[in-house]
Amino acid sequence: LAKTTQPISMDSYEGQEVNITCSHNNIATNDYITWYQQFPSQGPRFIIQGYKTKVTNEVASLFIPADRKSSTLSLPRVSLSDTAVYYCLVGDYNTNAGKSTFGDGTTLTVKP
Amino acid sequence: NAGVTQTPKFRVLKTGQSMTLLCAQDMNHEYMYWYRQDPGMGLRLIHYSVGEGTTAKGEVPDGYNVSRLKKQNFLLGLESAAPSQTSVYFCASSWTSGGLLLNTGELFFGEGSRLTVL
């Protein structure tokens, strides 16, 4: 399983764009990159997934360079409710039972 | 549609006692997982199951046993609880196409079970 590295914490202010980068140097050809969000006392929640280039949904964007050794989760115009822990996961979900290592995640604190 | 339900939500045990955590999902998912999360840390995979009647070890399986007798249920057992097993336990499930179709492998989590071992 590919190991991921993320910043431990980040601070931002309401209305700003936040970019969280994840390093995954040993990503395999069949691996996808998935980001989860976790609020206190809740289980993680799926945000976005991608394989290469850029993926966008109603919540976030995911940028993946050509070498796929890193990825950046972009949250546009954050609000106080975006304060949470964000996890980057790498794994082959089609054939590998979805086993992934969560790591310690990035604690994002949004200030007013 | 309840999704993933864990029982109990809170439990206090004494060292050496045994208990079972129950996870139930109503989404007909093949894969189910048990994780533990210690304060300030990420989730670590304890055991997982790729289908009814099958189980496999994850990252931190020692001290735990699991069973998947029915597709919708995944049980996590502690035979002799230790203070080091004080944690929040999360169950998750996911769908798979078995490689026939592309799927995200999105994990659906329960609300967690907080276990304290004295």
Side-chain angles (χ1 to χ4, degrees):
Chain A
L1 296 174
K3 178 179 170 55
T4 60
T5 303
Q6 307 173 228
I8 294 174
S9 63
M10 295 181 68
D11 290 341
S12 183
Y13 291 92
E14 283 189 293
Q16 290 188 333
E17 178 184 74
V18 171
N19 295 309
I20 306 174
T21 298
C22 178
S23 297
H24 28 79
N25 291 322
N26 59 338
I27 188 170
T29 301
N30 294 332
D31 287 345
Y32 282 72
I33 300 154
T34 311
W35 286 80
Y36 284 81
Q37 175 191 56
Q38 185 181 27
F39 296 114
S41 301
Q42 295 185 23
R45 182 180 68 172
F46 176 95
I47 301 176
I48 195 167
Q49 185 183 78
Y51 184 80
K52 61 180 178 181
T53 63
K54 177 183 175 181
V55 179
T56 298
N57 61 23
E58 64 278 6
V59 177
S61 294
L62 179 59
F63 299 91
I64 305 168
D67 66 5
R68 303 200 327 122
K69 294 184 182 298
S70 67
S71 59
T72 299
L73 174 72
S74 181
L75 304 172
R77 298 179 299 282
V78 294
S79 64
L80 296 176
S81 62
D82 291 315
T83 293
V85 180
Y86 293 83
Y87 296 97
C88 164
L89 277 70
V90 173
D92 175 4
Y93 304 104
N94 285 301
T95 60
N96 197 23
K99 301 193 306 296
S100 295
T101 300
F102 270 78
D104 292 338
T106 298
T107 299
L108 172 65
T109 302
V110 180
K111 303 175 182 178
Chain B
N1 189 344
V4 178
T5 303
Q6 295 181 225
T7 53
K9 290 184 171 47
F10 301 93
R11 185 73 187 269
V12 178
L13 290 177
K14 294 181 179 179
T15 297
Q17 287 184 320
S18 64
M19 75 158 295
T20 300
L21 296 176
L22 170 64
C23 177
Q25 53 95 3
D26 60 4
M27 297 172 283
N28 201 35
H29 285 169
E30 288 292 335
Y31 294 168
M32 296 187 74
Y33 314 81
W34 274 107
Y35 294 88
R36 63 175 287 175
Q37 185 172 37
D38 299 322
M41 299 179 66
L43 283 76
R44 292 184 291 172
L45 183 63
I46 305 171
H47 286 280
Y48 66 98
S49 169
V50 300
E52 181 178 323
T54 71
T55 63
K57 294 180 179 180
E59 185 183 356
V60 289
D62 294 342
Y64 305 95
N65 57 75
V66 288
S67 64
R68 183 98 180 268
L69 299 180
K70 295 182 179 181
K71 185 177 183 179
Q72 63 268 33
N73 295 337
F74 195 28
L75 279 64
L76 177 70
L78 286 72
E79 292 186 348
S80 180
S84 61
Q85 294 178 304
T86 293
S87 189
V88 180
Y89 292 85
F90 287 99
C91 175
S93 69
S94 67
W95 172 76
T96 179
S97 67
L100 299 176
L101 298 170
L102 182 65
N103 66 280
T104 65
E106 177 180 349
L107 295 167
F108 293 82
F109 283 86
E111 294 183 354
S113 297
R114 185 175 296 276
L115 175 64
T116 301
V117 183
L118 303 176

